Amino acid sequence: MAAASHTGALAGSDEIFDYLMRQAHVLRAESLQEALEWCKFLARTPLPEKEDAVIVTNGGGIGVLATDACEKYGVKLYDDYQTLKRNIF
């Protein structure tokens, strides 16, 4: 019961979130399978030329794995959180 009420309190309008993510040019996966498809696509795509890659996830574990992969393959992550927050919201 506590978990459900906590999750419900965090829930918002998916349409608003989707709009914000599209504005930020985020590649959004609706499922684990779709996320893996994005991974396969990105594995064959040139690395970003700028240092502006951003990881957005619903869990810390996958974010850590993604960050480690970026470090391993030389993908530079954007690290100015305040500017990023200001530009998205």
Side-chain angles (χ1 to χ4, degrees):
M1 184 73 161
S5 64
H6 176 68
T7 302
L10 294 176
S13 171
D14 188 61
E15 292 82 19
I16 293 171
F17 180 77
D18 191 57
Y19 173 78
L20 291 172
M21 294 304 99
R22 287 181 191 274
Q23 288 280 18
H25 306 285
V26 169
L27 302 174
R28 186 176 183 199
E30 298 287 336
S31 67
L32 181 56
Q33 180 62 40
E34 189 176 350
L36 294 172
E37 293 296 326
W38 275 120
C39 290
K40 287 194 296 190
F41 168 76
L42 293 170
R44 295 183 214 107
T45 304
L47 292 175
E49 293 179 13
K50 297 180 182 178
E51 296 183 3
D52 59 357
V54 177
I55 298 168
V56 179
T57 181
N58 68 340
I62 196 73
V64 169
L65 292 172
T67 301
D68 289 346
C70 288
E71 183 177 320
K72 180 178 179 179
Y73 294 106
V75 175
K76 302 290 185 188
L77 294 173
Y78 189 82
D79 66 357
D80 187 352
Y81 172 74
Q82 292 302 322
T83 299
L84 179 66
K85 184 176 173 183
R86 196 169 40 252
N87 288 337
I88 291 177
F89 301 105

